Amino acid sequence: MILSIDDEFYHYEAENVCRLFYPYEKINVLNEMPKKLPNDEITVIAEYLPSHQSVKLLRGDNEITKLETYISPKDEVTSEYLITHLIYTALEFYTGYQPKWGMITGIHPVKIYSDLLKSEDETKADIFMLNKIHVSNEKLNMLKSLVGIQKEILNDVTKKDVCIYVSIPFCPSRCSYCSFVSVAVEKQKKLILPYIENLIKEIECTGEIIKKYGLNIKAVYIGGGTPTILDAKEIDRLLRTINNNFNICENIEYTMEAGRPDTIDMEKLLIMKEMRVNRISINPQTMNNEVLALAGRKHTASDIIDKFNIARTVGFKNINMDLIAGLDGDNITSFENSVDSVIQLEPESITIHALALKRSSFITASEDTKKYHSKRYDAEKMIEYASDKLYKSGYIPYYLYRQSRMIGNLENTGWSKSDFECLYNILTMDDSVSILSCGAGGVSKIVYPGRKKVERIYNFKYPTEYISKFNEVLDRKEILGKNYEQFC
Ligand code: SF4
């Protein structure tokens, strides 16, 4: 499609709004009207004029619709809203598609709503969400519930609170939809040992920063990748290092992802339990064996059930499970079966993701992703079924975020039983506390008091760079420590 928009300031958001309707198409953004318009593509012409704003939709030379507004914008934000709102309305009219999140293109809808509640009363905030940015009633109700649940947790944070993230970017194989930096271990097993050696040094260095500035650890999260790809000895060594360098008291939430059942066994789980890991995540993504195979995962649904039961036997009382709506080969009935099977296991939390077709994934590289846009209504039904079933089974939504290129412009939602909300997920999504990250792909984030500024310090993305340029990793940690001098 072509988007012709005369003021560059509005390009970014205008393009994002077009992408709600044409998520996987190339959008040519131009500063001026092209001389010849292609017959087989939609052209959006947005003009920001001193007297009014106008949006025209054309196919070839034929005008489909033209919308104008004569409201005088007070500032650039209002101007941006007016022009993007016209584009949204024109494309909604033309395609007949009403995205459930309306015009929201960002990843934090909860933050948009909670920030709005700081300046407006609830009725006005709701009217704005429904009428001005076209969020559906269903999603607004979800936001209301989420804001209520998160409020207490978020009111309780101080400037010295931090979360720790430790990255193990290796997996047994690469899932077809994966966009992370994770490396399939069958190709790069030899990297694990040098990676762990360096990671341990980075954890020690981070522990010193925490001690020096008297920081208070709220949650530790070991993610990836698949951290349980490490063998039992490596897990023992990693967890001992974390426990020796961070003050892990009884009530700290301590999560280790154990995503793939083919990487979990009794020995590893016993070590994790002994080392005070108190939350794990076993992620089926689907309970349909054919869909699992298509996704490139080398396990079956019954492996998931077996490993879940072992984890319970070992004594894990806080287990999360992830499912994905919209996977290749899945359909509404089989997704509903997955939801039912996972609920039957009674994990403490279940996260429902909508498939995100990231550019770096195998699916995006090898398939025509446009077909996924036509599956958006199925994905909506899958998410609706999951929400309904989870509510009825005693789970409540506690955190939510969106990603770019998600099927049906939907969302990822964490559901939990009461008192099993994942603190790490809530705190990191809200930018409420700083995150000190260790390992490849990790991003440390310093949240200044009052959230006046959020500074990010990036680690190298891939294990090879992380290992070969490790001195730089430590230099960046030193910079991170110096930032704390400003307010600790
Ligand atoms: S388990 Fe997760 S990180 Fe690993 S390849 Fe699959 S999606 Fe990527």
Side-chain angles (χ1 to χ4, degrees):
M1 92 181 276
I2 294 174
L3 167 65
S4 155
I5 182 160
D6 57 2
D7 193 323
E8 274 189 33
F9 179 79
Y10 308 109
H11 275 192
Y12 179 73
E13 201 44 27
E15 187 179 346
N16 283 341
V17 167
C18 291
R19 218 168 273 298
L20 294 175
F21 299 88
Y22 297 93
Y24 312 123
E25 281 191 25
K26 182 167 169 39
I27 299 176
N28 286 315
V29 187
L30 309 170
N31 283 330
E32 54 188 37
M33 173 88 169
K35 292 200 174 65
K36 181 147 176 47
L37 296 176
N39 284 328
D40 53 351
E41 276 182 49
I42 286 290
T43 302
V44 176
I45 299 168
E47 289 177 294
Y48 183 76
L49 306 162
S51 60
H52 70 286
Q53 301 87 45
S54 140
V55 164
K56 264 192 275 183
L57 217 64
L58 298 111
R59 181 169 276 279
D61 290 330
N62 297 325
E63 186 175 303
I64 298 164
T65 186
K66 180 175 180 181
L67 300 172
E68 293 183 325
T69 180
Y70 290 85
I71 301 166
S72 311
K74 292 181 236 95
D75 48 43
E76 282 180 336
V77 176
T78 322
S79 302
E80 185 183 59
Y81 168 76
L82 290 171
I83 205 88
T84 49
H85 187 258
L86 287 181
I87 295 174
Y88 179 89
T89 312
L91 288 173
E92 187 189 47
F93 164 79
Y94 174 64
T95 60
Y97 172 49
Q98 295 180 309
K100 296 244 175 185
W101 286 103
M103 286 174 68
I104 295 182
T105 58
I107 62 170
H108 294 310
V110 185
K111 232 166 144 214
I112 295 177
Y113 185 58
S114 60
D115 284 349
L116 203 57
L117 288 173
K118 287 179 191 150
S119 56
E120 303 284 359
D121 66 36
E122 194 171 338
T123 313
K124 279 193 185 150
D126 290 357
I127 291 171
F128 181 83
M129 296 297 282
L130 292 169
N131 297 349
K132 297 278 184 192
I133 49 178
H134 307 283
V135 170
S136 65
N137 271 307
E138 174 200 336
K139 299 298 180 203
L140 178 61
N141 287 335
M142 203 168 203
L143 290 181
K144 289 160 96 69
S145 156
L146 282 155
V147 166
I149 286 165
Q150 294 186 358
K151 204 166 156 190
E152 229 170 276
I153 292 170
L154 296 174
N155 281 346
D156 199 31
V157 295
T158 73
K159 65 178 184 181
K160 290 211 172 185
D161 288 341
V162 292
C163 289
I164 304 291
Y165 180 78
V166 177
S167 164
I168 306 293
F170 301 96
C171 285
S173 61
R174 195 165 160 84
C175 304
S176 60
Y177 51 84
C178 182
S179 63
F180 296 125
V181 291
S182 189
V183 169
V185 84
E186 59 222 346
K187 287 186 189 152
Q188 307 237 347
K189 199 169 177 25
K190 61 180 186 309
L191 291 179
I192 291 188
L193 188 60
Y195 180 82
I196 294 288
E197 294 292 344
N198 287 324
L199 183 62
I200 282 173
K201 286 184 204 148
E202 195 187 1
I203 292 170
E204 287 166 351
C205 171
T206 308
E208 279 164 26
I209 295 173
I210 288 177
K211 276 181 213 129
K212 183 169 178 191
Y213 297 103
L215 306 179
N216 172 43
I217 299 172
K218 298 286 272 186
V220 174
Y221 196 101
I222 308 171
T226 307
T228 40
I229 190 83
L230 302 181
D231 66 27
K233 273 196 188 138
E234 289 160 343
I235 290 180
D236 184 85
R237 195 172 166 211
L238 174 69
L239 296 178
R240 257 176 222 287
T241 308
I242 292 174
N243 294 359
N244 290 340
N245 286 279
F246 304 134
N247 184 17
I248 309 281
C249 46
E250 278 297 308
N251 59 351
I252 283 182
E253 182 185 276
Y254 194 170
T255 302
M256 182 155 176
E257 283 185 3
R260 302 275 203 103
D262 39 342
T263 63
I264 317 172
D265 59 32
M266 176 77 99
E267 188 188 6
K268 292 183 191 179
L269 289 167
L270 281 168
I271 292 169
M272 287 153 65
K273 186 81 179 87
E274 192 197 322
M275 292 290 159
R276 282 179 275 152
V277 169
N278 52 25
R279 182 175 182 274
I280 60 171
S281 196
I282 301 174
N283 302 326
Q285 315 301 18
T286 166
M287 294 297 266
N288 179 320
N289 288 338
E290 282 159 32
V291 181
L292 279 170
L294 276 175
R297 289 172 73 102
K298 296 176 177 169
H299 62 83
T300 61
S302 72
D303 294 333
I304 288 278
I305 297 169
D306 291 349
K307 298 301 164 74
F308 181 90
N309 290 333
I310 295 175
R312 283 292 198 225
T313 310
V314 168
F316 280 99
K317 295 192 172 73
N318 189 355
I319 305 180
N320 173 71
M321 301 185 93
D322 283 4
L323 287 174
I324 302 178
L327 284 173
D328 197 17
D330 214 359
N331 57 45
I332 297 174
T333 314
S334 112
F335 181 78
E336 289 175 358
N337 289 338
S338 295
V339 172
D340 295 351
S341 313
V342 167
I343 289 177
Q344 247 177 15
L345 292 170
E346 298 188 50
E348 283 61 38
S349 58
I350 298 176
T351 311
I352 306 286
H353 296 257
L355 179 69
L357 293 160
K358 295 294 179 130
R359 286 201 178 86
S360 50
S361 69
F362 286 151
I363 328 177
T364 313
S366 60
E367 287 182 37
D368 178 7
T369 46
K370 279 186 198 165
K371 76 173 184 197
Y372 287 92
H373 190 45
S374 61
K375 290 184 180 176
R376 63 194 182 282
Y377 294 114
D378 283 359
E380 281 180 3
K381 287 202 180 95
M382 291 175 184
I383 299 275
E384 270 167 36
Y385 177 84
S387 305
D388 188 48
K389 195 72 203 245
L390 285 161
Y391 269 124
K392 286 179 181 152
S393 309
Y395 293 86
I396 37 168
Y398 74 90
Y399 105 111
L400 178 153
Y401 67 101
R402 302 177 68 239
Q403 293 169 280
S404 60
R405 298 168 65 87
M406 291 186 99
I407 191 163
N409 300 307
L410 291 160
E411 71 282 335
N412 302 326
T413 308
W415 297 76
S416 76
K417 293 187 178 169
S418 182
D419 293 334
F420 286 99
E421 300 86 10
C422 173
L423 190 61
Y424 177 86
N425 286 341
I426 294 177
L427 294 177
T428 53
M429 207 40 69
D430 188 70
D431 283 347
S432 298
V433 299
S434 298
I435 317 282
L436 305 189
S437 290
C438 300
V443 182
S444 293
K445 197 164 65 175
I446 301 181
V447 180
Y448 284 71
R451 288 209 302 212
K452 286 195 185 90
K453 189 166 104 177
V454 178
E455 201 161 293
R456 288 179 167 77
I457 298 176
Y458 293 84
N459 261 4
F460 291 106
K461 249 178 139 182
Y462 298 100
T464 40
E465 290 173 286
Y466 178 81
I467 295 165
S468 64
K469 298 180 186 169
F470 187 66
N471 281 342
E472 241 181 275
V473 173
L474 293 183
D475 290 348
R476 290 180 196 179
K477 273 281 166 315
E478 203 173 308
I479 297 172
L480 186 147
K482 286 204 173 118
N483 279 290
Y484 269 106
E485 273 170 21
Q486 297 175 44
F487 61 89
C488 283

